[in-house]
Amino acid sequence: MNAIELSLFASRIEAVCEEMGASLQRSAFSPNIKDRLDFSCAVFDPHGALCAQAAHIPVHLGSMAYAMAGIVEQVEWAAGDMVILNDPFLGGTHLPDVTLIAPLFIGGRLVGFVANRAHHADIGAATPGSMPVSRSLEEEGLVIPPSYLVRRGRLDDAFLASITGATRNPFEARGDFTAQISANRRGLARLEALVEGLGAAAYLAALAELDAYAERLARSALSGIPAGCYRFRDVMDDDGHGVEAIPVVVAVTVDEAGVRVDFAGTAPQVPGNINCPLSVAAAGVYYVFRCLMPSHTPAAAGAFRPIEVVAPPGSLLNARRPAAVAAGNVETSSRVVDVVLGALAEAIPGRIPAASHGGMNNLAMGARGERAWDYYETMGGGMGAGRDGGGLSAVQTHMTNTLNTPIEVLEMRYPLRVKRYAVRRGSGGGGRRPGGDGLVREFQFLEPATVTLLTERRIQSPWGLAGGGDGAPGRNLLNGDPLEPKVTLKVRSGDTLTVETPGGGGWGEALAAKQEPH
């Protein structure tokens, strides 16, 4: 293939992922998938290596890129199969993220896979929203190891019913799973058309060329980082079970062979749920280095080949079963980004921004009984500033790019009223380039409910760079009284929950104001 043909091929295979995502969004039942867009779609080669992805959720896609090969090896695939999983220690992230994988066979030959991962607001945990302040994986809901949901074209309806039966709204859950199945079927149809148009041999050869091109671009980008070993240390606020100031430590070593990212010195796994499997830590690392690559770098496995990720077994970033991991995927992954950026700020200071708000500000809530409901959302905050510009305000950053749930949808579907939704003015760090401001989201409950908050940067501030100021830490309040960063509580009708998210760090020392002559 010449350069133009390779570019067109890359766009065509990426379009398969985009169309899968459009199908999933439009056919899903829950606001979590339909409105917040908490899902991701990708295409893999016959060995489970990433070929293409849509611009969906970085923590989903990076972890799939890391773990997919292992999943592919342990399953006996046949045409018409679809495998479902959410086990974080067997290729998942956390239990609400459920993955469906489908192989494509052409002429009896396995030529690749399509996959999608979507966040389900209820996966059977004891607390509404299935994001509890847990101490073990089993507390977090239904654990699904890689299993056939569809075998040789036949849906295992009893198995699907057992999964949806673990939720409080089986009808909505079935609708979302059906949407995921449909998205994979759409992806298979589009990928089959692409492969048959080229021929299977030519298609696989094009994938190899795309992979090699991605690796060349990656190595070229990494060559711009001076050789050396760069270190950084940050801390997590707490684990929700009494352990505080939990260190995350990294050493980034750059040499001619590539980059080695070693998390030796990071805390051992903790009782609470901020632990994560190594695949989630790898997703954070991949994201940082992908940001340093040219925008046209294909989302292929070759882009990550020069990057090695190491974390001690049994540590916060390479937890062992049955560690609780619900918040590791959403909060600890964000701290991985912060420490890798912090290390690289020593090597390439002009290219690295200050810390952003540092988490996803997770809110899960709902009720049981006659009018059962489950709701989950993440909230944005302040973006860290950089040399070339200030941080954006009230946005999702780094490991997620989901949307907020529109107020109209929220109030129509749930017994909630949004009293305030605003930018948290003055929360960004000062400096030559100020950090972005966080946001304020205030909910009034119209019926009793159970609420869980899994939040970070409520104690430790997002750091500034090059003399810039730190962003303001966030705050969670119930009827004006402060709450812990990670907490489950009962609320009454009329209660008001306020979430104030952190601001981003500033960059550079503020320029002195000019003195007017007397």
Side-chain angles (χ1 to χ4, degrees), residues 258-281:
V259 175
R260 177 182 170 90
V261 180
D262 191 340
F263 292 100
T266 293
Q269 65 189 60
V270 293
N273 63 12
I274 63 169
N275 307 291
C276 62
L278 186 58
S279 59
V280 170

Side-chain angles (χ1 to χ4, degrees), residues 430-448:
R432 189 186 317 168
R433 301 292 191 183
D437 289 328
L439 60 79
V440 180
R441 195 144 156 102
E442 192 169 285
F443 305 85
Q444 184 176 49
F445 294 89
L446 306 182
E447 295 178 5

Side-chain angles (χ1 to χ4, degrees), residues 453 458 475-478 481-485 487 489 497-498:
L453 287 159
R458 268 48 183 179
R475 295 198 308 163
N476 306 325
L477 307 164
L478 181 64
D481 295 325
L483 296 170
E484 296 297 317
V487 65
L489 64 152
L497 174 71
T498 304

Side-chain angles (χ1 to χ4, degrees), residues 232 234 334-335 337-339 341-342 345 352-359 381-386 391-392 397-398 427-429 434-436 457 460-466 468-472 502-507:
F232 198 81
D234 206 335
S334 300
R335 194 65 79 257
V337 171
D338 285 349
V339 297
L341 286 174
I352 301 299
S356 293
H357 61 100
M383 178 185 289
L392 300 177
T397 59
H398 296 320
S427 56
R457 295 293 195 198
Q460 308 291 333
S461 297
W463 37 265
L465 268 183
D470 293 346
W507 193 95

Side-chain angles (χ1 to χ4, degrees), residues 196-505:
E196 289 187 335
L198 294 170
Y203 170 76
L204 293 173
L207 285 184
E209 285 192 47
L210 191 67
D211 200 45
Y213 177 56
E215 184 174 355
R216 290 196 301 272
L217 288 175
R219 290 191 181 279
S220 176
L222 296 177
S223 70
I225 305 173
C229 183
Y230 308 99
R231 302 178 184 276
F232 198 81
R233 180 184 187 276
D234 206 335
V235 297
M236 304 285 291
D237 287 343
D238 71 331
D239 76 335
H241 289 282
V243 184
E244 298 180 345
I246 302 159
V248 180
V249 179
V250 72
V252 178
T253 303
V254 183
D255 57 29
E256 290 183 358
V259 175
R260 177 182 170 90
V261 180
D262 191 340
F263 292 100
T266 293
Q269 65 189 60
V270 293
N273 63 12
I274 63 169
N275 307 291
C276 62
L278 186 58
S279 59
V280 170
V285 174
Y286 290 167
Y287 163 80
V288 171
F289 286 100
R290 179 63 183 82
C291 289
L292 297 174
M293 299 175 197
S295 60
H296 58 276
T297 304
F304 308 120
R305 196 166 291 134
I307 304 165
E308 181 184 8
V309 182
V310 181
S315 69
L316 188 75
L317 302 182
N318 190 3
R320 292 191 177 104
R321 188 187 298 275
V325 296
N329 181 60
V330 287
E331 298 305 294
T332 311
S333 67
S334 300
R335 194 65 79 257
V336 167
V337 171
D338 285 349
V339 297
V340 176
L341 286 174
L344 290 175
E346 181 185 349
I348 45 174
R351 298 180 63 189
I352 301 299
S356 293
H357 61 100
M360 301 187 195
N361 303 290
N362 305 271
L363 171 62
M365 50 189 172
R368 299 292 173 254
E370 206 170 293
R371 187 175 174 183
W373 58 281
D374 283 81
Y375 175 71
Y376 168 74
E377 78 170 356
T378 60
M379 285 171 260
M383 178 185 289
R387 179 188 63 183
D388 299 325
L392 300 177
S393 297
V395 292
Q396 300 278 16
T397 59
H398 296 320
M399 296 309 289
T400 187
N401 52 9
T402 54
L403 303 180
N404 60 253
T405 303
I407 292 172
E408 297 83 355
V409 172
L410 190 70
E411 294 187 342
M412 180 175 65
R413 291 184 61 112
Y414 306 110
L416 298 166
R417 179 176 294 124
V418 178
K419 295 179 65 177
R420 187 181 180 203
Y421 190 27
V423 175
R424 187 186 175 202
R425 302 293 181 188
S427 56
R432 189 186 317 168
R433 301 292 191 183
D437 289 328
L439 60 79
V440 180
R441 195 144 156 102
E442 192 169 285
F443 305 85
Q444 184 176 49
F445 294 89
L446 306 182
E447 295 178 5
T450 300
V451 175
T452 299
L453 287 159
L454 295 174
T455 60
E456 271 290 323
R457 295 293 195 198
R458 268 48 183 179
I459 300 170
Q460 308 291 333
S461 297
W463 37 265
L465 268 183
D470 293 346
R475 295 198 308 163
N476 306 325
L477 307 164
L478 181 64
N479 299 325
D481 295 325
L483 296 170
E484 296 297 317
K486 299 168 185 69
V487 65
T488 295
L489 64 152
K490 302 286 188 182
V491 296
R492 299 166 298 181
S493 178
D495 283 349
T496 297
L497 174 71
T498 304
V499 179
E500 299 179 357
T501 67

Side-chain angles (χ1 to χ4, degrees), residues 37 41 56 92 211 243 345 382:
L37 310 187
C41 302
H56 291 153
D211 200 45
V243 184

